[in-house]
Amino acid sequence: MDAALEDKLRAWAERYNNPRYFEEDPIAFPTRFAKTMTSEQPTLGFEGGAWRASLQDVEIAAIFAAHFAWGRRAMIVRDCARLFDEMMWRPLDYVMAGDYRDDDTSIHRTIKWSEVAQICARLKNFYSGATARAGMGLSRESSPRSLESLSTEQIRMQIFGQKEDPKAANKKIWMMRRWMVRDDGKVDLGLWKHSDKRDLIIPLDVHVHRQATELGMITRKSKDFEAAKEITDAFRQIFPDDPAKGDFALFGYGVNNA
């Protein structure tokens, strides 16, 4: 990568790693819950009592916002809002109650309410499972386990119910992990304190692949995990301690070359 391209990518990353560009974006939903975790004034619960979001509320919001993150941003935001309206904006309470909307109506593009219900059931099993708690030395009365304890492949299989696929780019999971791990206090949330942002992988989809190809960052034609690693390694040259920051550079490239 030549110096001129490095400078341009660095400048884009600095400029677009800014909340103003992500107010109407899927990350706005976990961000909303994250803010209530630390706000001085908790929101009112349904019966008038104070309610404050938990880490698990943020995780559930991030799981679904990332799962819906394909298509036009306006449509993604609209459909995420519909989902959280159904949850009455209490994701963990909704998941743990077990009474899910479960029909074949579309909630977002090809995603149906029945698929949302299945993911919720897996999340409930994860958060309430005795095995999960025992593995962390927790009692049944302890706070729910965090998804941070799962690998990307485990989230793919145990939460999204997909088959194991070492070649898969797992874009939505790496997107969620970026949100939860990066901790510069700007766009991403930095709530997973036991994960290292140096281990993050650029979330890869067809748009990111095209952009990286146009920039000469990648030669691999397959849109798979190896391609995602190749792009991440290219950004590691610019941001050695935070390669996923390059995601904002690609966003900037897209904005400036639309």
Side-chain angles (χ1 to χ4, degrees), residues 84-245:
F84 293 115
D85 282 345
E86 175 70 19
M87 294 181 171
M88 300 185 73
W89 295 88
R90 301 291 187 269
L92 182 61
D93 288 349
Y94 181 83
V95 162
M96 300 311 290
D99 183 17
Y100 315 129
R101 178 171 174 177
D102 186 1
D103 58 59
D104 287 334
T105 306
S106 169
I107 169 63
H108 178 65
R109 304 191 74 175
T110 63
I111 300 172
K112 299 177 181 179
W113 282 102
S114 55
E115 181 179 338
V116 169
Q118 291 166 6
I119 294 171
C120 286
R122 295 187 198 102
L123 285 164
K124 180 182 180 183
N125 183 62
F126 173 80
Y127 285 131
S128 61
T131 301
R133 293 168 180 272
M136 296 187 69
L138 302 175
S139 69
R140 283 186 175 273
E141 290 72 31
S142 300
S143 298
R145 187 185 184 190
S146 168
L147 293 175
E148 185 178 8
S149 64
L150 296 181
S151 69
T152 299
E153 198 65 25
Q154 287 172 322
I155 293 175
R156 175 186 174 87
M157 294 186 293
Q158 295 181 31
I159 304 302
F160 288 111
Q162 296 176 304
K163 294 180 180 179
E164 183 177 10
D165 184 0
K167 295 182 179 180
N170 287 318
K171 172 238 180 175
K172 61 190 173 188
I173 303 174
W174 285 112
M175 177 183 293
M176 178 214 181
R177 294 181 74 87
R178 195 207 85 194
W179 295 345
M180 298 301 294
V181 174
R182 289 194 70 256
D183 57 354
D184 60 7
K186 296 180 180 180
V187 175
D188 296 315
L189 306 176
L191 295 177
W192 283 358
K193 304 298 186 182
H194 304 292
S195 299
D196 193 332
K197 60 188 175 184
R198 289 175 294 187
D199 297 330
L200 293 172
I201 299 292
I202 292 288
L204 177 67
D205 60 14
V206 293
H207 305 292
V208 168
H209 188 276
R210 185 188 69 250
Q211 292 167 343
T213 301
E214 291 172 356
L215 288 164
M217 300 176 66
I218 187 173
T219 58
R220 188 175 179 83
K221 296 186 182 299
S222 298
K223 303 169 186 66
D224 56 11
F225 185 59
E226 288 302 317
K229 288 199 298 182
E230 189 175 333
I231 298 169
T232 304
D233 288 342
F235 278 119
R236 207 180 300 279
Q237 298 176 38
I238 308 173
F239 310 111
D241 295 323
D242 188 12
K245 186 176 181 179

Side-chain angles (χ1 to χ4, degrees), residues 22-93:
F22 297 91
E23 292 174 356
E24 295 295 321
D25 185 87
I27 197 177
F29 294 91
T31 298
R32 172 172 172 166
F33 291 105
K35 286 180 177 178
T36 70
M37 287 178 64
T38 56
S39 64
E40 293 183 5
Q41 182 65 42
T43 61
L44 290 179
F46 299 121
E47 297 179 355
W51 181 87
R52 196 184 298 276
S54 66
L55 173 62
Q56 291 72 30
D57 286 299
V58 181
E59 290 179 346
I60 295 165
I63 280 283
F64 283 110
H67 190 44
F68 284 21
W70 56 295
R72 292 184 295 107
R73 287 212 291 179
M75 181 185 293
I76 297 166
V77 169
R78 180 199 68 191
D79 294 342
C80 283
R82 289 173 58 204
L83 172 63
F84 293 115
D85 282 345
E86 175 70 19
M87 294 181 171
M88 300 185 73
W89 295 88
R90 301 291 187 269
L92 182 61
D93 288 349

